[in-house]
PDB file of all heavy atoms in Angstrom:
ATOM      1  N   PRO A  62       0.795  -1.239  -0.012  1.00 92.00           N
ATOM      2  CA  PRO A  62       0.014   0.014   0.032  1.00 92.00           C
ATOM      3  C   PRO A  62       0.843   1.294  -0.018  1.00 92.00           C
ATOM      4  O   PRO A  62       0.327   2.300  -0.344  1.00 92.00           O
ATOM      5  CB  PRO A  62      -0.861  -0.083   1.249  1.00 92.00           C
ATOM      6  CG  PRO A  62      -0.979  -1.601   1.520  1.00 92.00           C
ATOM      7  CD  PRO A  62       0.421  -2.093   1.030  1.00 92.00           C
ATOM      8  N   GLU A  63       2.072   1.219   0.341  1.00 92.00           N
ATOM      9  CA  GLU A  63       3.006   2.338   0.184  1.00 92.00           C
ATOM     10  C   GLU A  63       3.122   2.834  -1.248  1.00 92.00           C
ATOM     11  O   GLU A  63       3.365   3.984  -1.477  1.00 92.00           O
ATOM     12  CB  GLU A  63       4.352   2.061   0.789  1.00 92.00           C
ATOM     13  CG  GLU A  63       4.374   1.730   2.243  1.00 92.00           C
ATOM     14  CD  GLU A  63       5.755   1.377   2.774  1.00 92.00           C
ATOM     15  OE1 GLU A  63       6.753   1.585   2.128  1.00 92.00           O
ATOM     16  OE2 GLU A  63       5.791   0.790   3.841  1.00 92.00           O
ATOM     17  N   LEU A  64       2.948   1.918  -2.176  1.00 93.00           N
ATOM     18  CA  LEU A  64       3.074   2.207  -3.581  1.00 93.00           C
ATOM     19  C   LEU A  64       1.822   2.042  -4.413  1.00 93.00           C
ATOM     20  O   LEU A  64       1.435   2.973  -5.131  1.00 93.00           O
ATOM     21  CB  LEU A  64       4.181   1.233  -4.241  1.00 93.00           C
ATOM     22  CG  LEU A  64       5.553   1.333  -3.762  1.00 93.00           C
ATOM     23  CD1 LEU A  64       6.455   0.228  -4.376  1.00 93.00           C
ATOM     24  CD2 LEU A  64       6.183   2.732  -4.109  1.00 93.00           C
ATOM     25  N   VAL A  65       1.103   0.983  -4.271  1.00 96.00           N
ATOM     26  CA  VAL A  65      -0.079   0.760  -5.064  1.00 96.00           C
ATOM     27  C   VAL A  65      -1.320   0.977  -4.201  1.00 96.00           C
ATOM     28  O   VAL A  65      -1.501   0.418  -3.135  1.00 96.00           O
ATOM     29  CB  VAL A  65      -0.117  -0.771  -5.483  1.00 96.00           C
ATOM     30  CG1 VAL A  65      -1.381  -1.012  -6.336  1.00 96.00           C
ATOM     31  CG2 VAL A  65       1.140  -1.121  -6.295  1.00 96.00           C
ATOM     32  N   LYS A  66      -2.068   1.931  -4.731  1.00 96.00           N
ATOM     33  CA  LYS A  66      -3.394   2.294  -4.093  1.00 96.00           C
ATOM     34  C   LYS A  66      -4.425   1.594  -4.950  1.00 96.00           C
ATOM     35  O   LYS A  66      -4.690   2.021  -6.100  1.00 96.00           O
ATOM     36  CB  LYS A  66      -3.525   3.786  -4.063  1.00 96.00           C
ATOM     37  CG  LYS A  66      -2.472   4.451  -3.174  1.00 96.00           C
ATOM     38  CD  LYS A  66      -2.284   5.870  -3.485  1.00 96.00           C
ATOM     39  CE  LYS A  66      -1.135   6.440  -2.684  1.00 96.00           C
ATOM     40  NZ  LYS A  66       0.174   6.099  -3.247  1.00 96.00           N
ATOM     41  N   ASN A  67      -5.107   0.624  -4.335  1.00 96.00           N
ATOM     42  CA  ASN A  67      -6.055  -0.153  -5.035  1.00 96.00           C
ATOM     43  C   ASN A  67      -7.132   0.686  -5.666  1.00 96.00           C
ATOM     44  O   ASN A  67      -7.763   1.595  -5.096  1.00 96.00           O
ATOM     45  CB  ASN A  67      -6.743  -1.158  -4.080  1.00 96.00           C
ATOM     46  CG  ASN A  67      -7.366  -2.310  -4.788  1.00 96.00           C
ATOM     47  OD1 ASN A  67      -6.848  -2.832  -5.775  1.00 96.00           O
ATOM     48  ND2 ASN A  67      -8.546  -2.706  -4.398  1.00 96.00           N
ATOM     49  N   ASN A  68      -7.393   0.353  -6.955  1.00 96.00           N
ATOM     50  CA  ASN A  68      -8.378   1.085  -7.807  1.00 96.00           C
ATOM     51  C   ASN A  68      -8.012   2.573  -8.123  1.00 96.00           C
ATOM     52  O   ASN A  68      -8.864   3.319  -8.607  1.00 96.00           O
ATOM     53  CB  ASN A  68      -9.788   1.024  -7.305  1.00 96.00           C
ATOM     54  CG  ASN A  68     -10.389  -0.275  -7.296  1.00 96.00           C
ATOM     55  OD1 ASN A  68     -10.329  -0.954  -8.325  1.00 96.00           O
ATOM     56  ND2 ASN A  68     -10.936  -0.820  -6.179  1.00 96.00           N
ATOM     57  N   GLN A  69      -6.763   2.912  -7.783  1.00 96.00           N
ATOM     58  CA  GLN A  69      -6.314   4.273  -8.112  1.00 96.00           C
ATOM     59  C   GLN A  69      -5.145   4.188  -9.117  1.00 96.00           C
ATOM     60  O   GLN A  69      -5.199   4.781 -10.196  1.00 96.00           O
ATOM     61  CB  GLN A  69      -5.882   5.016  -6.846  1.00 96.00           C
ATOM     62  CG  GLN A  69      -5.478   6.482  -7.086  1.00 96.00           C
ATOM     63  CD  GLN A  69      -5.191   7.224  -5.829  1.00 96.00           C
ATOM     64  OE1 GLN A  69      -5.576   6.831  -4.759  1.00 96.00           O
ATOM     65  NE2 GLN A  69      -4.374   8.296  -6.014  1.00 96.00           N
ATOM     66  N   ASN A  70      -4.040   3.510  -8.708  1.00 96.00           N
ATOM     67  CA  ASN A  70      -2.956   3.421  -9.677  1.00 96.00           C
ATOM     68  C   ASN A  70      -2.636   1.949 -10.004  1.00 96.00           C
ATOM     69  O   ASN A  70      -1.648   1.630 -10.602  1.00 96.00           O
ATOM     70  CB  ASN A  70      -1.680   4.081  -9.113  1.00 96.00           C
ATOM     71  CG  ASN A  70      -1.219   3.540  -7.790  1.00 96.00           C
ATOM     72  OD1 ASN A  70      -1.746   2.537  -7.251  1.00 96.00           O
ATOM     73  ND2 ASN A  70      -0.253   4.183  -7.201  1.00 96.00           N
ATOM     74  N   GLY A  71      -3.567   1.095  -9.604  1.00 97.00           N
ATOM     75  CA  GLY A  71      -3.376  -0.320  -9.859  1.00 97.00           C
ATOM     76  C   GLY A  71      -4.500  -1.081  -9.192  1.00 97.00           C
ATOM     77  O   GLY A  71      -5.418  -0.627  -8.560  1.00 97.00           O
ATOM     78  N   LEU A  72      -4.352  -2.444  -9.200  1.00 97.00           N
ATOM     79  CA  LEU A  72      -5.211  -3.356  -8.576  1.00 97.00           C
ATOM     80  C   LEU A  72      -4.464  -4.354  -7.740  1.00 97.00           C
ATOM     81  O   LEU A  72      -3.365  -4.786  -8.152  1.00 97.00           O
ATOM     82  CB  LEU A  72      -6.067  -4.120  -9.547  1.00 97.00           C
ATOM     83  CG  LEU A  72      -6.942  -3.209 -10.480  1.00 97.00           C
ATOM     84  CD1 LEU A  72      -7.683  -4.086 -11.582  1.00 97.00           C
ATOM     85  CD2 LEU A  72      -8.032  -2.473  -9.714  1.00 97.00           C
ATOM     86  N   ILE A  73      -4.943  -4.658  -6.559  1.00 97.00           N
ATOM     87  CA  ILE A  73      -4.215  -5.599  -5.673  1.00 97.00           C
ATOM     88  C   ILE A  73      -5.034  -6.871  -5.572  1.00 97.00           C
ATOM     89  O   ILE A  73      -6.312  -6.798  -5.406  1.00 97.00           O
ATOM     90  CB  ILE A  73      -4.072  -4.950  -4.316  1.00 97.00           C
ATOM     91  CG1 ILE A  73      -3.181  -3.699  -4.359  1.00 97.00           C
ATOM     92  CG2 ILE A  73      -3.484  -5.970  -3.292  1.00 97.00           C
ATOM     93  CD1 ILE A  73      -3.100  -2.925  -3.073  1.00 97.00           C
ATOM     94  N   PHE A  74      -4.404  -8.012  -5.717  1.00 97.00           N
ATOM     95  CA  PHE A  74      -5.115  -9.266  -5.605  1.00 97.00           C
ATOM     96  C   PHE A  74      -4.538 -10.148  -4.546  1.00 97.00           C
ATOM     97  O   PHE A  74      -3.412  -9.959  -4.099  1.00 97.00           O
ATOM     98  CB  PHE A  74      -5.080 -10.018  -7.001  1.00 97.00           C
ATOM     99  CG  PHE A  74      -3.739 -10.336  -7.501  1.00 97.00           C
ATOM    100  CD1 PHE A  74      -3.110 -11.484  -7.134  1.00 97.00           C
ATOM    101  CD2 PHE A  74      -3.069  -9.447  -8.348  1.00 97.00           C
ATOM    102  CE1 PHE A  74      -1.837 -11.881  -7.606  1.00 97.00           C
ATOM    103  CE2 PHE A  74      -1.799  -9.738  -8.817  1.00 97.00           C
ATOM    104  CZ  PHE A  74      -1.168 -10.922  -8.439  1.00 97.00           C
ATOM    105  N   GLU A  75      -5.395 -11.068  -4.024  1.00 97.00           N
ATOM    106  CA  GLU A  75      -5.033 -11.903  -2.936  1.00 97.00           C
ATOM    107  C   GLU A  75      -4.624 -13.325  -3.438  1.00 97.00           C
ATOM    108  O   GLU A  75      -3.883 -14.009  -2.846  1.00 97.00           O
ATOM    109  CB  GLU A  75      -6.156 -12.077  -1.942  1.00 97.00           C
ATOM    110  CG  GLU A  75      -6.565 -10.816  -1.227  1.00 97.00           C
ATOM    111  CD  GLU A  75      -5.722 -10.436  -0.098  1.00 97.00           C
ATOM    112  OE1 GLU A  75      -5.105 -11.357   0.449  1.00 97.00           O
ATOM    113  OE2 GLU A  75      -5.692  -9.215   0.266  1.00 97.00           O
ATOM    114  N   ASP A  76      -5.289 -13.720  -4.604  1.00 98.00           N
ATOM    115  CA  ASP A  76      -5.018 -15.086  -5.063  1.00 98.00           C
ATOM    116  C   ASP A  76      -5.133 -15.125  -6.599  1.00 98.00           C
ATOM    117  O   ASP A  76      -5.447 -14.103  -7.215  1.00 98.00           O
ATOM    118  CB  ASP A  76      -5.979 -16.112  -4.385  1.00 98.00           C
ATOM    119  CG  ASP A  76      -7.397 -15.766  -4.586  1.00 98.00           C
ATOM    120  OD1 ASP A  76      -7.776 -15.240  -5.665  1.00 98.00           O
ATOM    121  OD2 ASP A  76      -8.233 -16.077  -3.731  1.00 98.00           O
ATOM    122  N   GLU A  77      -4.950 -16.328  -7.182  1.00 97.00           N
ATOM    123  CA  GLU A  77      -4.995 -16.423  -8.622  1.00 97.00           C
ATOM    124  C   GLU A  77      -6.378 -16.151  -9.209  1.00 97.00           C
ATOM    125  O   GLU A  77      -6.499 -15.683 -10.301  1.00 97.00           O
ATOM    126  CB  GLU A  77      -4.455 -17.830  -9.059  1.00 97.00           C
ATOM    127  CG  GLU A  77      -5.346 -18.999  -8.596  1.00 97.00           C
ATOM    128  CD  GLU A  77      -4.996 -19.518  -7.222  1.00 97.00           C
ATOM    129  OE1 GLU A  77      -4.143 -18.991  -6.524  1.00 97.00           O
ATOM    130  OE2 GLU A  77      -5.625 -20.573  -6.890  1.00 97.00           O
ATOM    131  N   ASN A  78      -7.387 -16.409  -8.441  1.00 98.00           N
ATOM    132  CA  ASN A  78      -8.781 -16.171  -8.865  1.00 98.00           C
ATOM    133  C   ASN A  78      -9.044 -14.610  -9.082  1.00 98.00           C
ATOM    134  O   ASN A  78      -9.599 -14.166 -10.012  1.00 98.00           O
ATOM    135  CB  ASN A  78      -9.837 -16.788  -8.024  1.00 98.00           C
ATOM    136  CG  ASN A  78      -9.831 -18.275  -8.111  1.00 98.00           C
ATOM    137  OD1 ASN A  78      -9.567 -18.866  -9.107  1.00 98.00           O
ATOM    138  ND2 ASN A  78     -10.009 -18.925  -6.928  1.00 98.00           N
ATOM    139  N   GLN A  79      -8.594 -13.873  -8.073  1.00 98.00           N
ATOM    140  CA  GLN A  79      -8.706 -12.395  -8.154  1.00 98.00           C
ATOM    141  C   GLN A  79      -7.857 -11.904  -9.288  1.00 98.00           C
ATOM    142  O   GLN A  79      -8.300 -10.899  -9.986  1.00 98.00           O
ATOM    143  CB  GLN A  79      -8.326 -11.782  -6.828  1.00 98.00           C
ATOM    144  CG  GLN A  79      -9.375 -11.907  -5.765  1.00 98.00           C
ATOM    145  CD  GLN A  79      -8.925 -11.121  -4.514  1.00 98.00           C
ATOM    146  OE1 GLN A  79      -7.772 -10.953  -4.182  1.00 98.00           O
ATOM    147  NE2 GLN A  79      -9.968 -10.622  -3.752  1.00 98.00           N
ATOM    148  N   LEU A  80      -6.666 -12.412  -9.427  1.00 98.00           N
ATOM    149  CA  LEU A  80      -5.830 -11.956 -10.537  1.00 98.00           C
ATOM    150  C   LEU A  80      -6.510 -12.198 -11.890  1.00 98.00           C
ATOM    151  O   LEU A  80      -6.620 -11.310 -12.789  1.00 98.00           O
ATOM    152  CB  LEU A  80      -4.423 -12.644 -10.566  1.00 98.00           C
ATOM    153  CG  LEU A  80      -3.565 -12.339 -11.763  1.00 98.00           C
ATOM    154  CD1 LEU A  80      -3.231 -10.874 -11.890  1.00 98.00           C
ATOM    155  CD2 LEU A  80      -2.249 -13.168 -11.661  1.00 98.00           C
ATOM    156  N   TYR A  81      -7.093 -13.413 -12.033  1.00 98.00           N
ATOM    157  CA  TYR A  81      -7.845 -13.701 -13.244  1.00 98.00           C
ATOM    158  C   TYR A  81      -8.954 -12.765 -13.498  1.00 98.00           C
ATOM    159  O   TYR A  81      -9.137 -12.213 -14.623  1.00 98.00           O
ATOM    160  CB  TYR A  81      -8.348 -15.141 -13.111  1.00 98.00           C
ATOM    161  CG  TYR A  81      -9.316 -15.576 -14.237  1.00 98.00           C
ATOM    162  CD1 TYR A  81      -8.765 -15.938 -15.492  1.00 98.00           C
ATOM    163  CD2 TYR A  81     -10.699 -15.610 -14.067  1.00 98.00           C
ATOM    164  CE1 TYR A  81      -9.589 -16.292 -16.525  1.00 98.00           C
ATOM    165  CE2 TYR A  81     -11.529 -15.947 -15.129  1.00 98.00           C
ATOM    166  CZ  TYR A  81     -11.011 -16.359 -16.314  1.00 98.00           C
ATOM    167  OH  TYR A  81     -11.792 -16.662 -17.336  1.00 98.00           O
ATOM    168  N   GLU A  82      -9.720 -12.414 -12.535  1.00 98.00           N
ATOM    169  CA  GLU A  82     -10.844 -11.541 -12.603  1.00 98.00           C
ATOM    170  C   GLU A  82     -10.389 -10.122 -12.961  1.00 98.00           C
ATOM    171  O   GLU A  82     -10.969  -9.448 -13.825  1.00 98.00           O
ATOM    172  CB  GLU A  82     -11.643 -11.448 -11.304  1.00 98.00           C
ATOM    173  CG  GLU A  82     -12.406 -12.747 -11.029  1.00 98.00           C
ATOM    174  CD  GLU A  82     -13.449 -13.133 -12.071  1.00 98.00           C
ATOM    175  OE1 GLU A  82     -14.116 -12.180 -12.650  1.00 98.00           O
ATOM    176  OE2 GLU A  82     -13.646 -14.283 -12.360  1.00 98.00           O
ATOM    177  N   GLN A  83      -9.240  -9.688 -12.356  1.00 97.00           N
ATOM    178  CA  GLN A  83      -8.776  -8.360 -12.593  1.00 97.00           C
ATOM    179  C   GLN A  83      -8.197  -8.269 -14.055  1.00 97.00           C
ATOM    180  O   GLN A  83      -8.382  -7.256 -14.703  1.00 97.00           O
ATOM    181  CB  GLN A  83      -7.686  -8.004 -11.617  1.00 97.00           C
ATOM    182  CG  GLN A  83      -8.294  -7.692 -10.222  1.00 97.00           C
ATOM    183  CD  GLN A  83      -7.199  -7.477  -9.200  1.00 97.00           C
ATOM    184  OE1 GLN A  83      -5.995  -7.548  -9.501  1.00 97.00           O
ATOM    185  NE2 GLN A  83      -7.627  -7.160  -8.012  1.00 97.00           N
ATOM    186  N   LEU A  84      -7.551  -9.298 -14.492  1.00 97.00           N
ATOM    187  CA  LEU A  84      -7.090  -9.304 -15.893  1.00 97.00           C
ATOM    188  C   LEU A  84      -8.241  -9.229 -16.890  1.00 97.00           C
ATOM    189  O   LEU A  84      -8.152  -8.474 -17.862  1.00 97.00           O
ATOM    190  CB  LEU A  84      -6.252 -10.571 -16.178  1.00 97.00           C
ATOM    191  CG  LEU A  84      -4.868 -10.567 -15.498  1.00 97.00           C
ATOM    192  CD1 LEU A  84      -4.235 -11.951 -15.616  1.00 97.00           C
ATOM    193  CD2 LEU A  84      -3.927  -9.504 -16.142  1.00 97.00           C
ATOM    194  N   LEU A  85      -9.294  -9.964 -16.612  1.00 97.00           N
ATOM    195  CA  LEU A  85     -10.472  -9.879 -17.477  1.00 97.00           C
ATOM    196  C   LEU A  85     -11.098  -8.428 -17.377  1.00 97.00           C
ATOM    197  O   LEU A  85     -11.430  -7.894 -18.375  1.00 97.00           O
ATOM    198  CB  LEU A  85     -11.515 -10.835 -16.987  1.00 97.00           C
ATOM    199  CG  LEU A  85     -11.320 -12.329 -17.307  1.00 97.00           C
ATOM    200  CD1 LEU A  85     -12.477 -13.155 -16.751  1.00 97.00           C
ATOM    201  CD2 LEU A  85     -11.191 -12.566 -18.819  1.00 97.00           C
ATOM    202  N   LEU A  86     -11.167  -7.899 -16.186  1.00 96.00           N
ATOM    203  CA  LEU A  86     -11.745  -6.587 -16.052  1.00 96.00           C
ATOM    204  C   LEU A  86     -10.984  -5.549 -16.814  1.00 96.00           C
ATOM    205  O   LEU A  86     -11.594  -4.712 -17.610  1.00 96.00           O
ATOM    206  CB  LEU A  86     -11.715  -6.222 -14.546  1.00 96.00           C
ATOM    207  CG  LEU A  86     -12.320  -4.821 -14.182  1.00 96.00           C
ATOM    208  CD1 LEU A  86     -13.807  -4.796 -14.495  1.00 96.00           C
ATOM    209  CD2 LEU A  86     -12.063  -4.627 -12.668  1.00 96.00           C
ATOM    210  N   VAL A  87      -9.619  -5.439 -16.691  1.00 95.00           N
ATOM    211  CA  VAL A  87      -8.889  -4.364 -17.409  1.00 95.00           C
ATOM    212  C   VAL A  87      -8.820  -4.657 -18.877  1.00 95.00           C
ATOM    213  O   VAL A  87      -8.652  -3.750 -19.636  1.00 95.00           O
ATOM    214  CB  VAL A  87      -7.492  -4.177 -16.775  1.00 95.00           C
ATOM    215  CG1 VAL A  87      -7.593  -3.662 -15.359  1.00 95.00           C
ATOM    216  CG2 VAL A  87      -6.622  -5.413 -16.845  1.00 95.00           C
ATOM    217  N   SER A  88      -9.022  -5.889 -19.272  1.00 96.00           N
ATOM    218  CA  SER A  88      -8.948  -6.139 -20.713  1.00 96.00           C
ATOM    219  C   SER A  88     -10.314  -5.812 -21.407  1.00 96.00           C
ATOM    220  O   SER A  88     -10.374  -5.509 -22.575  1.00 96.00           O
ATOM    221  CB  SER A  88      -8.602  -7.620 -21.004  1.00 96.00           C
ATOM    222  OG  SER A  88      -9.581  -8.440 -20.534  1.00 96.00           O
ATOM    223  N   LYS A  89     -11.362  -5.840 -20.582  1.00 97.00           N
ATOM    224  CA  LYS A  89     -12.696  -5.503 -21.099  1.00 97.00           C
ATOM    225  C   LYS A  89     -13.101  -4.028 -20.889  1.00 97.00           C
ATOM    226  O   LYS A  89     -13.952  -3.524 -21.592  1.00 97.00           O
ATOM    227  CB  LYS A  89     -13.708  -6.436 -20.490  1.00 97.00           C
ATOM    228  CG  LYS A  89     -13.607  -7.842 -20.933  1.00 97.00           C
ATOM    229  CD  LYS A  89     -14.723  -8.698 -20.214  1.00 97.00           C
ATOM    230  CE  LYS A  89     -14.559 -10.119 -20.649  1.00 97.00           C
ATOM    231  NZ  LYS A  89     -15.652 -11.000 -20.048  1.00 97.00           N
ATOM    232  N   ASP A  90     -12.557  -3.416 -19.823  1.00 96.00           N
ATOM    233  CA  ASP A  90     -13.011  -2.110 -19.396  1.00 96.00           C
ATOM    234  C   ASP A  90     -11.938  -1.091 -19.754  1.00 96.00           C
ATOM    235  O   ASP A  90     -11.063  -0.746 -18.909  1.00 96.00           O
ATOM    236  CB  ASP A  90     -13.365  -2.138 -17.939  1.00 96.00           C
ATOM    237  CG  ASP A  90     -14.019  -0.844 -17.487  1.00 96.00           C
ATOM    238  OD1 ASP A  90     -13.966   0.179 -18.198  1.00 96.00           O
ATOM    239  OD2 ASP A  90     -14.628  -0.977 -16.406  1.00 96.00           O
ATOM    240  N   ALA A  91     -11.937  -0.599 -21.010  1.00 95.00           N
ATOM    241  CA  ALA A  91     -10.997   0.441 -21.358  1.00 95.00           C
ATOM    242  C   ALA A  91     -11.021   1.683 -20.573  1.00 95.00           C
ATOM    243  O   ALA A  91      -9.951   2.288 -20.369  1.00 95.00           O
ATOM    244  CB  ALA A  91     -11.143   0.697 -22.859  1.00 95.00           C
ATOM    245  N   LYS A  92     -12.136   2.064 -20.065  1.00 96.00           N
ATOM    246  CA  LYS A  92     -12.285   3.236 -19.230  1.00 96.00           C
ATOM    247  C   LYS A  92     -11.567   3.094 -17.948  1.00 96.00           C
ATOM    248  O   LYS A  92     -10.849   3.998 -17.548  1.00 96.00           O
ATOM    249  CB  LYS A  92     -13.760   3.575 -19.020  1.00 96.00           C
ATOM    250  CG  LYS A  92     -14.022   4.816 -18.279  1.00 96.00           C
ATOM    251  CD  LYS A  92     -15.517   5.119 -18.162  1.00 96.00           C
ATOM    252  CE  LYS A  92     -15.782   6.316 -17.379  1.00 96.00           C
ATOM    253  NZ  LYS A  92     -17.216   6.622 -17.189  1.00 96.00           N
ATOM    254  N   LEU A  93     -11.687   1.933 -17.317  1.00 96.00           N
ATOM    255  CA  LEU A  93     -11.049   1.692 -16.057  1.00 96.00           C
ATOM    256  C   LEU A  93      -9.525   1.680 -16.292  1.00 96.00           C
ATOM    257  O   LEU A  93      -8.755   2.355 -15.514  1.00 96.00           O
ATOM    258  CB  LEU A  93     -11.418   0.277 -15.458  1.00 96.00           C
ATOM    259  CG  LEU A  93     -10.645  -0.191 -14.236  1.00 96.00           C
ATOM    260  CD1 LEU A  93     -10.723   0.794 -13.077  1.00 96.00           C
ATOM    261  CD2 LEU A  93     -10.976  -1.560 -13.850  1.00 96.00           C
ATOM    262  N   LEU A  94      -9.067   0.970 -17.253  1.00 95.00           N
ATOM    263  CA  LEU A  94      -7.610   0.898 -17.598  1.00 95.00           C
ATOM    264  C   LEU A  94      -7.067   2.261 -17.891  1.00 95.00           C
ATOM    265  O   LEU A  94      -6.024   2.697 -17.426  1.00 95.00           O
ATOM    266  CB  LEU A  94      -7.414  -0.060 -18.773  1.00 95.00           C
ATOM    267  CG  LEU A  94      -5.925  -0.320 -19.034  1.00 95.00           C
ATOM    268  CD1 LEU A  94      -5.094  -0.816 -17.852  1.00 95.00           C
ATOM    269  CD2 LEU A  94      -5.790  -1.262 -20.273  1.00 95.00           C
TER     270      LEU A  94
END
């Protein structure tokens, strides 16, 4: 959290399922990215 602020300058994940969901999200949501 000293560097990455979730949903501000990046996304933080806890496990491979969250990473998968985040990769899908940023690949589909150009506005968010």
Side-chain angles (χ1 to χ4, degrees):
E63 294 175 19
L64 295 172
V65 180
K66 294 161 189 72
N67 198 41
N68 290 313
Q69 184 176 339
N70 60 6
L72 300 172
I73 299 172
F74 60 90
E75 299 278 338
D76 58 32
E77 64 274 3
N78 292 324
Q79 282 184 331
L80 174 59
Y81 173 77
E82 292 298 324
Q83 290 175 355
L84 288 169
L85 286 178
L86 180 63
V87 296
S88 67
K89 291 180 180 180
D90 189 344
K92 185 176 178 182
L93 171 63
L94 185 57

